[in-house]
Amino acid sequence: MAIQTLDKEVVIIGSGPAGLTAAIYSARANLKPLLIDAPVDAHKQTAPGGQLMITTDVENYPGFSEGIQGPDLMIEFRKQAERFGTEFLEEWITEVDLSERPFILRTDNYIVNAQTLIIATGASAKWLGIPGEAKVPNGFGGNGVSACATCDGPLPAFRNKTLVVVGGGDTAMEEATFLTRYAAKVYVVHRRDKLRASKIMQDKALHNEKIEFIWDTGVEEIVGQDDCGVTGVRLRNLKTNKERVLPCEGVFIAIGHKPNTDLFRGQLDMDEVGYLKTSGHSTATNIPGVFACGDVQDSVYRQAVTAAGTGCMSALDAERFLDHLPVAMPSGEEVTMEGEHITQDHRVIIEPDGSMIPNQPDKVLAKEK
Ligand SMILES: Cc1cc2nc3c(=O)[nH]c(=O)nc-3n(C[C@H](O)[C@H](O)[C@H](O)COP(=O)(O)OP(=O)(O)OC[C@H]3O[C@@H](n4cnc5c(N)ncnc54)[C@H](O)[C@@H]3O)c2cc1C
């Protein structure tokens, strides 16, 4: 197939809760958004609909008093975005050029020129890659294995049960401490003899009576049965090489998340882990016209409802930018589509040619080139 070129005012990458909410808002604003999302890939655990496609019960998304299955929720999001005219393209974005507008996005079959870009590529939980960890039917993922305690810990399957948390950083301590609200007992299995977590998180976990630490130990396999799910983990002491099976009914892998931002490295500002930096007052990145929402810019909350909330913000920010109105940037300045910069104190407007205009009608500043 010959490469096709598309020109769009609003392009969204990612069809999780953030991307689809951005699509609903920008489609309703008549901006005819194009949403591009990666096709199903069993190895990378991606599917249109994002991370919720690999989970079962979602009990904390508002509006569903009895809870809803993750994939069913994402079907509803998608239908709502379609209803207002969102166009969808199922392709991996392989390259982006954000050096000037229109921004250029490349896939195997398309070149897409975008006046504004909303990045909603999410983050992926890191997995151990051990037997038993993959999603059902290839393992026990979704049937006793999870990477999100906040999401799955309160489910009946994990209540009053013996659980294992794998990891030694802040995520692991947070997840283990959270799980003690519901579980009978929580084992933390860590490969070293000390934790990487911050002191405060360590103290909380180490003083929690329901938590027991298993040091210098790796998890080799998650064992169980198709009908009842996880029944244990096969552990190996890394100092003695001795193996044993620890009985448990649930396993939470808490070795961190990786934001899906490799595409934007060198072009957009990110923190040391790779999360995109946004303004705080808006979803603007360091490049005017490029916005980021959802887990890709959120290392703290990482929930469907917060992703949807920032997706809404991104769409409103893109709309504002296309309407030639100023949008708050991470630097604290506000920037318009024409490249005017309004200083953080709102006192001066700097034109694209460098000239400065007071943001008060009766004062004129000397022109600076
Ligand atoms: C097992 C599990 C259970 C969870 N349960 C809950 C829960 O009960 N409640 C809750 O609130 N939250 C839950 N979460 C968290 C929730 O799923 C996330 O916070 C939410 O999905 C983030 O949404 P997002 O739109 O930012 O990104 P994602 O849902 O991650 O979607 C990102 C999309 O971008 C696509 N993408 C990435 N890179 C590219 C590329 N280069 N080209 C094209 N497409 C790309 C991906 O394929 C993906 O579809 C759970 C997470 C997991 C892993």
Side-chain angles (χ1 to χ4, degrees):
M1 169 171 143
I3 301 277
Q4 287 187 54
T5 302
L6 304 172
D7 297 296
K8 298 287 166 184
E9 284 208 294
V10 177
V11 174
I12 301 162
I13 316 178
S15 70
L20 284 169
T21 304
I24 292 165
Y25 272 77
S26 43
R28 281 194 82 230
N30 254 343
L31 293 172
K32 301 183 174 51
L34 172 69
L35 189 150
I36 308 175
D37 199 31
V40 176
D41 184 324
H43 179 64
K44 293 183 184 160
Q45 292 211 1
T46 60
Q51 292 173 61
L52 287 183
M53 299 302 285
I54 60 162
T55 192
T56 49
D57 299 282
V58 177
E59 292 188 324
N60 53 9
Y61 197 84
F64 299 91
S65 57
E66 299 301 318
I68 182 166
Q69 297 288 297
D72 293 344
L73 179 60
M74 295 324 297
I75 288 169
E76 287 303 317
F77 267 72
R78 188 178 172 111
K79 277 194 205 156
Q80 199 172 350
E82 274 168 355
R83 181 177 150 212
F84 297 112
T86 304
E87 244 184 87
F88 289 86
L89 197 60
E90 220 170 87
E91 298 266 326
W92 278 103
I93 306 273
T94 53
E95 203 186 318
V96 296
D97 179 353
L98 307 179
S99 57
E100 59 182 351
R101 239 187 16 257
F103 309 118
I104 301 167
L105 317 180
R106 289 174 202 280
T107 77
D108 285 348
N109 301 305
Y110 292 87
I111 293 175
V112 182
N113 299 315
Q115 287 300 335
T116 57
L117 176 63
I118 296 178
I119 300 170
T121 48
S124 313
K126 289 189 197 159
W127 297 94
L128 295 166
I130 54 170
E133 188 189 47
K135 195 180 174 239
V136 168
N138 301 318
F140 300 101
N143 189 16
V145 178
S146 171
C148 181
T150 321
C151 317
D152 295 337
L155 295 175
F158 298 108
R159 277 183 190 253
N160 301 314
K161 301 284 166 61
T162 298
L163 306 177
V164 165
V165 170
V166 187
D170 276 338
T171 311
M173 294 312 104
E174 212 170 308
E175 305 251 302
T177 306
F178 177 80
L179 288 170
T180 57
R181 292 189 202 174
Y182 314 97
K185 169 103 189 161
V186 177
Y187 289 99
V188 174
V189 179
H190 184 39
R191 297 179 65 81
R192 304 212 193 127
D193 59 1
K194 45 175 120 44
L195 299 168
R196 275 179 293 108
S198 58
K199 172 99 176 55
I200 187 162
M201 292 306 301
Q202 288 195 29
D203 285 350
K204 264 189 136 177
L206 289 165
H207 291 114
N208 190 316
E209 285 180 353
K210 280 194 183 175
I211 300 180
E212 185 175 329
F213 285 81
I214 301 179
W215 305 103
D216 297 314
T217 299
V219 180
E220 302 278 296
E221 183 184 358
I222 297 166
V223 289
Q225 288 161 4
D226 289 348
D227 52 348
C228 63
V230 171
T231 56
V233 281
R234 190 159 56 78
L235 303 178
R236 185 164 66 86
N237 183 302
L238 301 173
K239 287 198 166 151
T240 63
N241 240 354
K242 273 198 179 148
E243 286 197 358
R244 66 176 168 125
V245 171
L246 174 74
C248 67
E249 287 125 319
V251 181
F252 287 81
I253 312 294
I255 54 173
H257 285 77
K258 186 185 179 306
N260 301 319
T261 53
D262 288 351
L263 265 181
F264 311 107
R265 207 162 276 282
Q267 301 192 64
L268 291 177
D269 288 349
M270 32 185 103
D271 69 12
E272 61 286 357
V273 180
Y275 285 95
L276 296 181
K277 287 189 180 171
T278 49
S279 147
H281 295 293
S282 77
T283 57
T285 66
N286 57 302
I287 296 186
V290 180
F291 304 93
C293 52
D295 283 14
V296 76
Q297 52 87 58
D298 172 14
S299 61
V300 180
Y301 302 105
R302 290 196 304 249
Q303 291 294 291
V305 68
T306 47
T310 51
C312 155
M313 288 166 67
S314 270
L316 296 178
D317 289 338
E319 186 183 345
R320 200 178 155 83
F321 187 76
L322 289 166
D323 279 347
H324 306 272
L325 294 169
V327 171
M329 303 295 288
S331 60
E333 295 172 308
E334 292 183 11
V335 173
T336 66
M337 195 171 184
E338 286 76 21
E340 291 170 331
H341 288 239
I342 299 143
T343 55
Q344 200 166 1
D345 60 9
H346 280 205
R347 294 179 68 164
V348 179
I349 298 170
I350 304 166
E351 295 286 342
D353 66 0
S355 55
M356 291 163 72
I357 305 167
N359 201 16
Q360 293 149 321
D362 54 340
K363 290 190 187 157
V364 179
L365 289 183
K367 283 203 165 191
E368 272 189 10
K369 287 259 169 173

